[in-house]
């Protein structure tokens, strides 16, 4: 299930050209906005604006990815698109007051992501059993959703500490969303950039925690 079928960035076929190029352009804009937000003083206008634009861009990129996947389905990218939406949504909600409405929405997002993960595993396990794909493929794809779901459980268990840990949760979710949005296209063009497959598979599991640690210190 990794790597994904390579694509030619200059040729949009068989996709809709509008969705294809909007997906790429907005994705690049989102990366820049995320880096601006991370590099800015927390709570500053630049940080807030960069963060909001990153949220919007991630939503657009994820939705257009789902549109493209309707033409050529790829389970890893399906997981990436929905998990990015989930990470962004939970990261945004982390900064909101802990009202019952917000908490219900967070539980709903947890159920949504868990359902998506179970659906993915239901598709992957028969292929693993049949020998069509190595077991490492689905495990690597599933690890980020699992990390985020475990983080949800920890967050729900510490509801009384929400004000103290909500900023950490917000930062972690935004960084994971950025990492997901970077890994997804790299999984398709890694050969053109001479990036080792090992880095595509396991790099995010190292880079994201290091980024979270670094920016929490700041």
């Amino acid at each position: 299930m990794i790597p994904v079928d390579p694509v030619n960035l200059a040729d949009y076929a068989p996709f809709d050209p509008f969705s294809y190029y909007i997906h790429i352009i907005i994705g690049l804009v989102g990366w820049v906005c995320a880096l601006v937000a991370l590099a800015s003083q927390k709570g500053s206008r630049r940080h807030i604006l960069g963060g909001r634009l990153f949220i919007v861009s991630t939503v657009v990129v994820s939705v257009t990815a789902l549109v493209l996947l309707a033409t050529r389905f790829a389970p890893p990218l399906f997981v990436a698109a929905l998990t990015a939406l989930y990470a962004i949504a939970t990261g945004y909600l982390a900064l909101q007051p802990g009202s019952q409405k917000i908490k219900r929405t967070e539980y709903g997002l947890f159920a949504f992501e868990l359902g998506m993960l179970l659906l993915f595993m239901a598709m992957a396990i028969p292929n693993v059993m049949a020998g069509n794909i190595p077991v490492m493929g689905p495990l690597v794809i599933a690890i980020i959703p699992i990390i985020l779901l475990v983080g949800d459980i920890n967050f729900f268990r510490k509801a009384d500490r929400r004000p103290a840990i909500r900023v950490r949760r917000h930062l972690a979710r935004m960084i994971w969303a950025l990492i997901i949005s970077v890994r997804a296209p790299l999984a398709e063009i890694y050969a053109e950039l001479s990036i080792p497959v090992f880095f595509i598979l396991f790099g995010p599991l190292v880079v994201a925690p290091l980024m979270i640690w670094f920016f929490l210190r700041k």
Side-chain angles (χ1 to χ4, degrees):
M1 304 188 81
I2 291 284
V4 180
D5 292 337
V7 297
N8 180 356
L9 296 179
D11 182 10
Y12 60 82
F15 305 115
D16 167 65
F18 180 78
S19 298
Y20 181 76
Y21 289 115
I22 285 293
H23 177 78
I24 294 173
I25 293 170
I26 299 299
L28 294 174
V29 170
W31 292 355
V32 173
C33 292
L35 294 176
V36 168
L38 287 170
S40 303
Q41 181 179 359
K42 305 307 175 279
S44 66
R45 289 185 178 181
R46 182 180 299 176
H47 174 78
I48 294 173
L49 178 60
R52 288 176 177 173
L53 290 176
F54 174 59
I55 289 173
V56 172
S57 68
T58 301
V59 171
V60 173
V61 166
S62 297
V63 171
T64 52
L66 294 173
V67 172
L68 297 174
L69 289 172
T71 300
R72 190 180 71 181
F73 187 70
L77 300 183
F78 173 75
V79 173
L82 293 183
T83 301
L85 284 173
Y86 158 69
I88 279 290
T90 52
Y92 171 79
L93 291 176
L95 295 183
Q96 307 308 308
S99 65
Q100 289 302 314
K101 181 179 179 180
I102 293 296
K103 291 179 180 179
R104 284 195 298 269
T105 303
E106 289 172 335
Y107 280 117
L109 288 168
F110 174 85
F112 167 81
E113 181 70 1
L114 179 61
M116 181 280 299
L117 179 60
L118 293 175
L119 175 61
F120 169 71
M121 297 308 294
M123 292 186 291
I125 289 174
N127 283 284
V128 171
M129 299 298 292
N132 298 327
I133 57 175
V135 66
M136 185 58 67
L139 290 179
V140 169
I141 294 166
I143 191 65
I144 293 180
I146 290 173
I147 289 172
L148 295 178
L149 288 169
V150 171
D152 277 350
I153 294 173
N154 183 59
F155 186 65
F156 297 153
R157 291 178 62 238
K158 298 180 179 179
D160 58 323
R161 295 185 54 205
R162 184 186 184 101
I165 62 178
R166 65 178 188 160
V167 172
R168 179 186 180 92
R169 176 176 169 85
H170 169 76
L171 172 66
R173 294 298 161 120
M174 291 300 175
I175 288 177
W176 278 114
L178 173 62
I179 291 298
I180 293 167
S181 71
V182 172
R183 183 168 80 165
L186 287 182
E188 296 205 355
I189 63 173
Y190 73 97
E192 297 179 18
L193 302 177
S194 300
I195 300 175
V197 175
F198 181 85
F199 179 80
I200 300 297
L201 295 177
F202 299 101
L205 307 181
V206 176
V207 173
L210 286 177
M211 289 180 66
I212 294 168
W213 172 82
F214 175 79
F215 286 105
L216 278 177
R217 285 170 58 88
K218 295 183 63 177

